[in-house]
Amino acid sequence: MTASTWLTLLTTFTLAVISPGPDFLATPRMTLSRGRSRGIATGIGIGTGTSLWAVGTMAGVVALISRSETAFFAVRLVGAVFLAGYGIRILASLMRARTEAPSKGTDEEPAPPSSEPYPTWKAFRLGFLTTTVGNPKAVIFFTTLFASMLPPSITVLEGGALTLVMVAISSCWFTVVALAASMPAFVRGYERLHKPIDAALGGLFVILGLALIPWGTLFT
């Protein structure tokens, strides 16, 4: 590939990565609720998930999925269920916290976010799933724009190098997001307002999941 092709592909990918999406919402939420290291693990999981899309696009798998109504329907449905399920879990945890909390006076400070141990691999898995099956932005980008920009003559070595650079860009960006969300001002704000913030994020994930469901295909 020429230098201009590399620049075009990586610039376009970087703009797609930093644009808002479910992955952008999941990273700060994980950081604020479970800590900086778990947020970074989520970001690395997102970056790793990017490799599947990149390799799948270069191998032609993504093109086959986009051309098959059944396969594309299945991918969208799995992504929709994942996003809605994640949102429902957030909302359910809020409901459990409300029912399990002892009755206290109105002057009592709100309970801080959960401090229970949370495995790093779960944070990584969340990021990986968010960008592979739960990200409509990735589906659109890799099945249309990225696939059309790849030169037909790309070699295996160039494809591997491109994939590694894309994973690095994605992982670095979401690591920066996690680090920003771990700043004391953000953490203090979340500790005071974690219930309405989680309620809003949980509801947004549910809405995104419902919007991703191909309702027209589902009932035909």
Side-chain angles (χ1 to χ4, degrees):
M1 294 191 297
T2 63
S4 60
T5 302
W6 275 95
L7 181 61
T8 301
L9 283 170
L10 294 178
T11 300
T12 305
F13 174 73
T14 301
L15 293 175
V17 166
I18 65 178
S19 64
D23 43 11
F24 184 83
L25 296 176
T27 304
R29 198 266 168 180
M30 178 63 73
T31 302
L32 290 167
S33 61
R34 299 293 183 175
R36 179 189 300 171
S37 62
R38 302 305 184 266
I40 292 174
T42 301
I44 294 174
I46 293 170
T48 304
T50 300
S51 65
L52 288 187
W53 283 111
V55 172
T57 302
M58 286 180 270
V61 176
V62 171
L64 291 176
I65 292 175
S66 64
R67 292 171 186 168
S68 169
E69 291 186 8
T70 302
F72 194 64
F73 169 81
V75 170
R76 286 189 60 185
L77 189 59
V78 170
V81 171
F82 170 77
L83 286 178
Y86 181 52
I88 290 171
R89 287 198 298 274
I90 295 175
L91 297 176
S93 67
L94 287 175
M95 294 298 295
R96 285 196 302 271
R98 175 176 295 184
T99 56
E100 294 172 0
S103 58
K104 297 182 179 180
T106 55
D107 293 334
E108 184 76 20
E109 287 294 323
S114 173
S115 59
E116 296 178 1
Y118 191 83
T120 303
W121 69 267
K122 282 191 175 183
F124 177 89
R125 182 185 65 182
L126 173 66
F128 183 83
L129 292 176
T130 299
T131 200
T132 50
V133 299
N135 195 348
K137 178 183 69 174
V139 175
I140 295 171
F141 174 76
F142 282 101
T143 58
T144 56
L145 187 59
F146 184 73
S148 65
M149 294 172 63
L150 276 177
S153 59
I154 187 172
T155 65
V156 174
L157 184 61
E158 289 173 332
L162 179 62
T163 299
L164 290 176
V165 175
M166 291 169 66
V167 169
I169 291 173
S170 185
S171 298
C172 288
W173 166 248
F174 288 105
T175 296
V176 170
V177 171
L179 291 174
S182 68
M183 294 174 62
F186 283 97
V187 174
R188 287 195 298 269
Y190 183 74
E191 287 175 347
R192 291 195 304 270
L193 302 170
H194 69 94
K195 290 182 180 179
I197 290 174
D198 279 359
L201 286 175
L204 186 56
F205 275 110
V206 172
I207 292 171
L208 286 172
L210 293 177
L212 187 59
I213 295 177
W215 296 104
T217 306
L218 195 62
F219 294 107
T220 56

